[in-house]
Structure formats: structure tokens, C-alpha cells
Amino acid sequence: MTDRSSAARVSGEAFLQGQVVRELEAAVGRERVSVEDADLQAQAADWSWSSKYIQYAGLRLPSADVMVKPATTAEVEEVVRIASEYRMPVVPRGGGSGTQGGTLAVYGGIALDLTDLDDIVEIDEQSLTVTVGAGIDGPTLEAELNTHGLTLAHYPGSYHLGATIGGFIAARGSGVVSTKYGKAEDQVLQVKAVVPPGATVETLRVPSHAAGPDLLQSFVGSEGTLGVITEATLRVDPLPEARGFLSFSFPDIFTGMEAGRRIMTNRLRPAVIRLYDEADSVKLKDWVGTPFTGTLMVVMCDGAQELVDYETRAITELVEAAGGTSHGPDVGRIWWEGKYEPYAKGKLPQPPLMYGTFDQVARFSDLPAIYRAKKKIVEEEFAEYGARYTAHLSHWYDWGAMLYDRFYVDEPPADPVEAMRLHDRLWDAGILEGIAHGAVLNDHHGVGIKLGRFMHKQYGEGFRLLKAQKDAWDPDGIMNPGKLGFGPPRR
């Protein structure tokens, strides 16, 4: 009797899944729905170490039960409506270039591929805005904008890895010129998003207003946990007339931090400031070909020629007064021309090498202590594994900067369980040490499933309010469950 009951239960589940698949096919077309294992595994994959390691070890990624590829906002509405009726998880996916396990479907459900929502709806040359489908990738949009003499000025490391506009916004992404042009949350003006049980919300036409709390910034950084961004309007800028490059060396990373602080607190606006510690400058030389090792800063200013001339002169004076030594424009130009080389095939780190990028952000007053503490805990607490620590500061603000610091273990444990345990221990040590010294959890890679366990620690009582918003907007917990620390679906 137990066997018959079990067989009936499995048969019921199979029938229900078939019913859902048929409804999805009716909603978007049979050719846009798949239950093929290869498609489901591809949808689950991203660029996180965990995802890459699982594949390297010959194991299976936690994947959805069905993949759907809608082409319009109305079709996304239908998918979310069906998912809500059956209380099935929905895992949105753009280009899969994230690093935090955001596409791992740990509770199964529907993998929602958004890459066919790729229309350029409008380029408004009077307001300098562009409206696009969330699935369009950065290079495609940039190429079209350039024909109009415009730029989105958002060039992340994932630029050539398939990253989409919706992904930029959902993870609060950042590009190499963010110091001047801002991150995704600064560039986005308006979004359309589909929320349970299958309705479209359109935020206000402009982001600056006094019409109550702002819905836009609730969707920004929500990583699909509150709804599915399907369309966005973003600010664009004129292509710069000129670029000017600078490079400097310093006796140590802390002198470089002070030089960067002076640039920003004097309210100069270079497009790029990159400050590399000694270990990271060696990696930069190997990957990009910069003819320098030591503590290195590269700077790029852009805009009208008169502005570039003024900023490069003023920055040189400030940096030299802070203790930097000028090395002219060539190193900075080499860096700019080779800025995507670290992401070229064969140069990105890959398992079995273990690695992780902490990517925390802090005020200027906290940065030196954060760097010291994290370097110490990685290299001393994990000395038996030969753990290495490298860092650079690549996104600068009026009040502080982002520390793009990374750990490496060349020979991690061969056993997958032990390897994952060491990986999580390193993350625990680095993230918690950073938070203890004033860092915020993440600057622009997002949270995903990898960092979700730190959200309570980061927000304290504030996380209860975030969770209450999630519960109100997504009462069944079906939107990208397990991410941002929000826990499983209610089913």
C-alpha cells in the first residue's frame, strides 16, 4: 500500500508539472518552453565560484523544472500569473554573468529567460534618455547609442559576458567609469516590473520627486525577489570629446587611498580612479601589460578638452602633494585599452583554483582599517591553505570607495564538501571582518544566495522591515526564493 501511495504521489507531481508546462506553452508558444536538461542546467549557471566548481566537479547545478523565454511584458505577466496559481518559484535570468549564485534554482520552479526582451523602445535625444527591454545586452545598446553620439557609460567587467540592462539594475551594477557617471541605480530613471500575481507596475516617469516613497529604488537591487524588471528608461550622456590619462605610484596603498580621497573630496570628477596594491599590480601586469608593479593608480578624465586639461592638471597637483609620483599618461592609456583583458577567455580564474571577490564599500575613514583587517585574517587564519589576498579600489564616491579585494587558494581540498566548507569559511571571515570595521556587505555584485546569510548581520532590525516588504509584495515567496536572505517559498 505504501508503494502504491508513493507511485500515485509521483504520478500526481508529474501530471501537475505537465499541466504547468502546457499552460506556459499556451501563454508564450511551445518553442519558448523547454524541459530539456541541457537548457535547465544552462539557465541555472552563472559566474559564481560555486557554480563553476559544481560544474568542474562533474556535479549537477540546482536547476528549475521548466525554462520559459517570453518576448513581451504581457507574456511575463502570464508566466508570473501561472506561477502564482501553482505557487511555483520563478527565477529570472538575464545574461547569467552574475557572481553570487542568483540564478541557482535551489527550490526548482520556472527559469525565466529574459534575453528576448531586447527592444530599443525609444532614444530621446532631447531629454538624453533611452528606453529598452530589460534583456538587451550592454554592447548592443552601446553600439546603437554611439550612432547617435551618445553613450550609456556603463562598462562593467561582465560587459562582454552577456550582462543585460535588467541585470545591471537588479544587482545595482557598476562599470569602470562609475566614479563620474554613477552606478545602475544612478542611471535608471524608470522601470516596468511584473509582480505577483501577474500584474505590471510602472514607476514614476522621473526618479526625483516628492510624491511619497520611491518604488523605483525598491526594484533596484532586488535581484528578482520582488518582481521581474521587463523594461527600463535610463539616462544617457554625450560621447566625450576627449580623454586624458594619468598614472601614479605610492610608497604604500594607504598613501594612495589618501590621494584618492583628496581627489573626491575636492569634488573633481575623473571617470576612472583605479588604485592597486602591490599584489594586484603584479596581476595587472600579467593580464593587461601595464609596465609597472608596486602600488599603482591609474586615472582617466573625459569630456570637453578644456575640462580634461583642467582636471588632469588639478589631480596631478593633489596626488603629488599627497605623496604620489607621476608616471605620465602611458600606463593609464595601456590600462584603458586593455581593461577587458582580465575577462578574456583563459584569464579569468577558474576551478580548481578557489577564489572569491568580497567587493565591499566604506567611508574614507574606515578603508585603511578594513584593508588591514581583511588582509590579515585571510593570510594568517588560512595560512595552512596558502591563502593569498589582493585588492584594488575601483569605484569612488564623494564619501568613500569600494574595495575590490579577493582571496585565492591555489590547492583547495579535493573533496567537494570540504572545498565548499573552506570557501564559505573564507567568505565568513572576510565579510564579517569587513562589516566589523565599517564596510557595507557589497558594492555592485549583489547578494544572491552566496551572501544572503549576512543580511541579518548587515541590517540588524532593518532586515525585518525588508522582509516585511518582501512578504507583502510576494506573499507566497515565489520570486527568486533563497536569494537576499529571504528564505524559501511558502508551499
Side-chain angles (χ1 to χ4, degrees):
M1 187 168 183
T2 302
D3 289 343
R4 287 197 300 273
S5 175
S6 176
R9 184 168 60 253
V10 172
S11 176
E13 291 175 355
F15 179 86
L16 185 61
Q17 181 173 330
Q19 176 76 19
V20 172
V21 169
R22 292 189 293 274
E23 289 192 33
L24 292 169
E25 289 174 345
V28 305
R30 186 173 181 179
E31 72 282 0
R32 293 182 174 275
V33 178
S34 175
V35 292
E36 294 297 322
D37 187 63
D39 292 332
L40 300 178
Q41 286 290 296
Q43 289 292 309
D46 71 356
W47 280 83
S48 65
W49 180 84
S50 295
S51 177
K52 294 294 183 184
Y53 181 77
I54 288 169
Q55 293 171 299
Y56 162 80
L59 305 173
R60 293 178 51 75
L61 295 168
S63 62
D65 303 299
V66 55
M67 182 273 285
V68 185
K69 197 173 186 181
T72 66
T73 294
E75 289 182 352
V76 175
E77 282 188 352
E78 278 296 287
V79 173
V80 174
R81 180 190 63 77
I82 292 166
S84 294
E85 288 181 356
Y86 289 96
R87 295 189 179 181
M88 287 187 70
V90 177
V91 183
R93 188 182 197 272
S97 61
T99 62
Q100 312 294 56
T103 57
L104 295 175
V106 292
Y107 299 104
I110 299 169
L112 188 63
D113 185 331
L114 298 166
T115 53
D116 276 357
L117 277 75
D118 58 356
D119 291 341
I120 298 176
V121 179
E122 179 190 35
I123 297 175
D124 180 347
E125 297 189 52
Q126 186 171 8
S127 305
L128 287 186
T129 67
V130 63
T131 301
V132 295
I136 193 169
D137 65 81
T140 299
L141 176 57
E142 186 70 11
E144 179 60 28
L145 288 172
N146 288 174
T147 67
H148 296 261
L150 302 171
T151 176
L152 180 60
H154 190 94
Y155 316 124
S158 57
Y159 192 64
H160 293 295
L161 300 178
T164 62
I165 297 301
F168 294 166
I169 297 167
R172 294 186 177 271
S174 188
V176 297
V177 294
S178 67
T179 298
K180 177 174 182 177
Y181 294 96
K183 294 174 58 191
E185 65 259 37
D186 306 306
Q187 296 177 306
V188 64
L189 306 180
Q190 183 182 30
V191 299
K192 285 183 181 178
V194 175
V195 299
T200 297
V201 173
E202 189 168 0
T203 65
L204 300 185
R205 194 165 169 81
V206 296
S208 299
H209 57 77
D214 188 30
L215 287 177
L216 172 65
Q217 289 299 327
S218 288
F219 287 112
V220 173
S222 64
E223 300 184 33
T225 62
L226 297 179
V228 182
I229 297 170
T230 61
E231 187 176 289
T233 300
L234 303 104
R235 185 199 78 226
V236 295
D237 287 275
L239 282 168
E241 171 190 321
R243 292 189 176 103
F245 299 93
L246 302 168
S247 60
F248 305 93
S249 62
F250 302 92
D252 54 50
I253 190 74
F254 308 108
T255 308
M257 289 179 184
E258 173 59 17
R261 186 194 70 81
R262 294 188 189 186
I263 294 170
M264 297 307 297
T265 56
N266 276 278
R267 300 308 188 236
L268 294 166
R269 279 295 177 271
V272 174
I273 307 175
R274 290 267 172 143
L275 175 64
Y276 295 84
D277 73 1
E278 293 184 6
D280 229 21
S281 72
V282 171
K283 183 172 66 179
L284 189 68
K285 182 178 181 180
D286 291 342
W287 286 0
V288 178
T290 47
F292 180 88
T293 58
T295 302
L296 169 69
M297 176 184 283
V298 294
V299 176
M300 189 272 281
C301 300
D302 68 5
Q305 187 65 60
E306 294 87 350
L307 176 63
V308 171
D309 291 342
Y310 167 75
E311 286 191 322
T312 52
R313 183 173 63 251
I315 288 170
T316 299
E317 292 174 359
L318 283 171
V319 173
E320 289 181 342
T325 300
S326 178
H327 293 275
D330 290 346
V331 177
R333 186 176 292 110
I334 290 169
W335 177 88
W336 176 257
E337 292 173 354
K339 60 185 178 294
Y340 291 121
E341 273 302 303
Y343 305 93
K345 186 176 181 180
K347 291 190 176 181
L348 279 172
Q350 298 282 347
L353 174 71
M354 182 179 291
Y355 54 88
T357 305
F358 295 122
D359 180 26
Q360 293 185 292
V361 61
R363 297 180 188 177
F364 287 123
S365 56
D366 296 322
L367 283 169
I370 293 167
Y371 176 90
R372 288 189 179 96
K374 294 174 77 175
K375 181 176 176 65
K376 178 181 174 66
I377 200 165
V378 167
E379 295 185 345
E380 294 186 8
E381 185 168 319
F382 299 90
E384 64 180 298
Y385 300 101
R388 296 178 286 118
Y389 178 88
T390 70
H392 64 265
L393 292 85
S394 52
H395 305 278
W396 298 71
Y397 305 93
D398 293 342
W399 38 261
M402 185 275 287
L403 186 62
Y404 193 102
D405 49 345
R406 182 177 279 174
F407 66 79
Y408 296 93
V409 175
D410 294 315
E411 297 182 6
D415 177 71
V417 173
E418 289 303 315
M420 296 292 269
R421 181 174 288 118
L422 175 60
H423 174 261
D424 286 359
R425 283 180 56 208
L426 278 155
W427 274 98
D428 288 347
I431 290 292
L432 294 177
E433 196 74 4
I435 290 175
H437 287 82
V440 169
L441 181 58
N442 197 263
D443 178 77
H444 66 268
H445 286 165
V447 175
I449 195 167
K450 183 169 74 178
L451 304 185
R453 65 186 182 277
F454 302 113
M455 289 287 280
H456 287 89
K457 176 71 173 179
Q458 178 67 84
Y459 278 94
E461 184 63 16
F463 189 72
R464 178 180 61 82
L465 303 182
L466 292 178
K467 186 68 166 57
Q469 181 184 25
K470 163 72 170 173
D471 293 342
W473 288 26
D474 178 22
D476 292 322
I478 64 170
M479 302 308 297
N480 211 5
K483 317 301 163 49
L484 289 178
F486 288 143
R490 296 178 185 84
R491 61 177 182 180

